[in-house]
Amino acid sequence: MTERAAAVRPPARAPLTWQVARLVERRVETPTAHTIVLEVPGWPGHLPGQHLDVRLTAPDGYQAARSYSIAGPVVDGPGGPRIELTVQRVPDGEVSPYLIDVYGEGDPVEVRGPVGGWFVWRPEETAPVLLVGGGSGIVPLMAMLRARRAAGSRVPFRLLYSVRTPDDVIYADELRRRGRDDLGLDVAYVYTRRAPDGWRGDPHRIGLADVNNHGWPPGLEPVNYVCGPTGFVETVADLLVGLGHQTRRVKTERFGPTG
C-alpha cells in the first residue's frame, strides 16, 4: 500500500451519514481474510483504530450492516480518497461472505463513519505502546503500526499477536518486514493450535507469561491496546491489570457473533 496521506482527525461532531463506496482493489491475506480497498469520495478522514459501518441492501429491500476496523491511513486515489478494510469471513454471516466471495471491482456498497474515539492512537502521543491482537483483531492494530511509520514516529511499539496457526497470520509478509525494518517495533506471536517448525514451546492460549515477557513494565506507563474476540480481550485485559497496569491505560475493542 502506498501511504500518500496520513490519517487525520475527523471534524468534531461530524454527522454520520451513509455514502456510496466502490471496490477498487482486493488482496488475499489468508484463506478466510481479504483486504478490500474502497474509494470513498468525500471521506472526512479517520484516526488509527477507528472503524466504519458497511451496509448491504438486497433487491427485496432487506438490509444488513456490520462494523469493520479501518486497516490503514487514507490514500489519495484518482477518483477520491481510498480506505482499506480487512474482512474475515464469518461462517453463516450476512455481510462478510458477500464482501469476500461476491463483491466485485466497481461494485457499490454503503459505508458510514468513521466511528469510535477511545480505541485510537495519535502520532503525537509519546508513551510506549503494547498492541495485543487475537485473530482478525490485528486489523486496527495494523492501522496504528502503519500510521506510526507514515508519521516517522519513534515511539516504542510492541505487538503480541495470537493466532491459531501460521497460515492464519493476517499481513504475514508486512509484519515480517516491519518487525525487521521499523525501528523501535518488536513483533511476537502466540500460536494456539499449530506452531511453525522450529518454534520453541507448544501451542497454547495466551497467558500471563506471554503478556509479562512481551509487554512493557507498568512503571513505564505504556498504553495497551487489546483487540479480538470477547473472551480473548477480557483475559488479556485482566492479565494486564493484574500485572499492575492502570485500567485507564488498557484500551479494548472486542467483537463476537452477531445475534
Side-chain angles (χ1 to χ4, degrees):
M1 182 183 73
T2 304
E3 296 176 348
R4 295 173 54 189
V8 297
R9 187 194 303 269
R13 298 181 181 179
L16 294 181
T17 59
W18 292 103
Q19 58 190 119
V20 175
R22 295 186 183 276
L23 180 68
V24 295
E25 184 184 344
R26 174 186 299 276
R27 297 193 300 273
V28 177
E29 303 289 353
T30 74
T32 60
H34 289 193
T35 291
I36 58 175
V37 182
L38 303 176
E39 191 168 75
V40 192
W43 181 252
H46 60 272
L47 290 169
Q50 288 188 302
H51 59 276
L52 55 68
D53 300 325
V54 175
R55 183 170 71 179
L56 306 179
T57 302
D60 63 2
Y62 175 77
Q63 293 182 322
R66 298 291 184 271
S67 296
Y68 294 98
S69 295
I70 305 170
V74 179
V75 175
D76 292 330
R82 296 182 175 186
I83 57 176
E84 293 190 6
L85 309 178
T86 300
V87 179
Q88 180 96 46
R89 182 190 287 106
V90 176
D92 301 321
E94 290 187 302
V95 176
S96 63
Y98 174 83
L99 294 178
I100 290 179
D101 300 325
V102 179
Y103 191 40
E105 186 170 338
D107 288 349
V109 70
E110 289 183 288
V111 300
R112 180 178 64 182
V115 181
W118 167 247
F119 193 83
V120 299
W121 179 77
R122 295 173 173 84
E124 63 267 24
E125 296 178 6
T126 59
V129 171
L130 172 65
L131 309 173
V132 187
S136 60
I138 186 65
V139 178
L141 309 183
M142 177 57 83
M144 298 177 190
L145 293 180
R146 289 169 170 170
R148 175 184 182 270
R149 178 62 179 266
S153 171
R154 294 302 177 92
V155 171
F157 267 52
R158 292 180 177 177
L159 170 66
L160 180 58
Y161 187 14
S162 175
V163 290
R164 294 178 178 178
T165 75
D167 296 334
D168 296 307
V169 176
I170 300 174
Y171 314 124
D173 291 340
E174 183 175 354
L175 285 174
R176 189 178 303 112
R177 185 175 68 253
R178 290 188 181 277
R180 181 193 65 208
D181 299 339
D182 287 14
L183 296 177
L185 169 64
D186 293 319
V187 179
Y189 295 89
V190 172
Y191 297 97
T192 63
R193 293 191 180 179
R194 176 173 60 83
D197 294 338
W199 190 258
R200 292 184 179 180
D202 297 323
H204 63 278
R205 293 185 180 277
I206 196 166
L208 179 62
D210 302 301
V211 176
N212 189 43
N213 292 339
H214 299 292
W216 297 102
L220 294 180
E221 296 189 337
V223 182
N224 306 279
Y225 296 88
V226 187
C227 185
T230 297
F232 172 89
V233 170
E234 292 177 349
T235 294
V236 175
D238 287 346
L239 291 172
L240 287 166
V241 172
L243 287 168
H245 293 271
Q246 300 175 38
T247 303
R248 65 183 178 85
R249 303 186 76 84
V250 179
K251 301 189 177 188
T252 61
E253 182 94 327
R254 63 198 71 198
F255 56 82
T258 302

